Amino acid sequence: MTSMDLNADLGEGFGRWALTDDEGLLSVVTSANVACGFHAGDPATMRRVCELAAERGVAIGAQVSYRDLAGFGRRAMDVPPAELAAEVAYQIGALEVFARAAGTRVAYVKPHGALYNRVVGDEEQAAAVVDGVLLAGGALPVLGLPGSRVLERAGRAGLPVVPEAFADRAYTDGGTLVPRGQEGAVITDPEAVVARAVRLARSGATVEVRARSLCVHGDTPGAVELARRVRERLEASGVRMEPFS
């Protein structure tokens, strides 16, 4: 039986504002990419999401980002490598405090937004992210786009690498994500998302390497129901849903 992880971005609120339905998504996904305060999230939110994830047996991942609350981490930034490595380690460490308090741990790292896209092809920024993971301690798996520089660097550093695919995003012919500003970049038709998820889980279609994890964005309208439909269809197709970590 094929196994697959289903991840989503959680904790993407700040203060009184909440963007993601964390409790709803945690009833469906197997891994939670938790915002660590740089693009979204705050200490109280991080603590709450970690507690809920631990209760449900959902793996916790640090979703690290450029320091960009105003732009939700989706603006291009040039951060010196040493500074970026320190900020990645800082974010992982902050989340680890709350994960341990909830009786679990940070199980992996996933870059967010502009940083995620940058480390697909930027060797220097990819190396800085990996340096930050190493600085945080432990051999944490790195979740990213198949064929990306960050997964290559992580593998060379001895870190486990986990290629992922997006059920609700369009891809270019080269296997990278279509920029969000372009028409059709985000797939909103539920049936199209579900059908793509099954194809990706079964064949690795549209990406260069078979994905070990599928992502449904937590800030997509109707994300909980969409994630639930994806999981139900995958399980009905004979795919076992479980965390990769």
Side-chain angles (χ1 to χ4, degrees):
M1 179 184 289
T2 301
S3 64
M4 181 61 65
D5 174 65
L6 182 64
N7 77 77
D9 304 341
L10 276 76
E12 290 186 324
F14 194 81
R16 59 182 291 188
W17 292 277
L19 179 63
T20 49
D21 182 350
D22 298 327
E23 192 159 1
L25 285 166
L26 284 168
S27 69
V28 182
V29 300
T30 52
S31 294
N33 318 316
V34 183
C36 298
F38 271 38
H39 75 280
D42 55 39
T45 301
M46 293 161 68
R47 180 181 182 180
R48 178 177 53 82
V49 173
C50 285
E51 290 173 347
L52 291 171
E55 290 174 4
R56 291 160 173 75
V58 175
I60 294 171
Q63 189 167 42
V64 298
S65 171
Y66 286 127
R67 189 190 294 267
D68 181 27
L69 275 175
F72 198 63
R74 289 180 175 161
R75 298 186 293 188
M77 304 183 76
D78 291 315
V79 180
E83 182 178 337
L84 180 57
E87 293 188 341
V88 166
Y90 179 92
Q91 292 174 79
I92 296 169
L95 188 63
E96 180 70 9
V97 168
F98 298 115
R100 286 186 178 273
T104 185
R105 63 186 177 85
V106 171
Y108 65 95
V109 177
K110 176 182 175 178
H112 164 81
L115 182 58
Y116 186 99
N117 292 321
R118 181 73 171 268
V119 297
V120 169
D122 190 310
E123 184 74 31
E124 187 175 63
Q125 295 283 280
V129 169
V130 172
D131 287 346
V133 176
L134 294 171
L135 182 61
L140 290 176
V142 177
L143 186 63
L145 199 70
S148 61
R149 290 289 181 266
V150 72
L151 292 193
E152 179 186 336
R153 293 288 303 212
R156 282 160 51 189
L159 299 176
V161 298
V162 183
E164 74 166 339
F166 291 83
D168 55 359
R169 289 292 307 276
Y171 285 83
T172 67
D173 291 338
T176 59
L177 295 175
V178 173
R180 279 182 173 268
Q182 293 186 19
E183 184 177 355
V186 179
I187 301 169
T188 57
D189 177 52
E191 188 55 38
V193 173
V194 171
R196 289 180 83 249
V198 173
R199 288 200 306 272
L200 288 163
R202 282 298 191 180
S203 66
T206 78
V207 291
E208 297 174 358
V209 179
R210 180 185 295 275
R212 181 65 188 85
S213 183
L214 291 177
C215 179
V216 175
H217 282 90
D219 61 343
T220 299
V224 174
E225 181 58 28
L226 187 59
R228 183 173 290 113
R229 290 180 61 179
V230 166
R231 177 164 186 160
E232 288 174 351
R233 185 72 64 83
L234 288 172
E235 290 177 330
S237 301
V239 178
R240 183 177 64 251
M241 305 303 297
E242 61 183 7
F244 64 80
S245 54

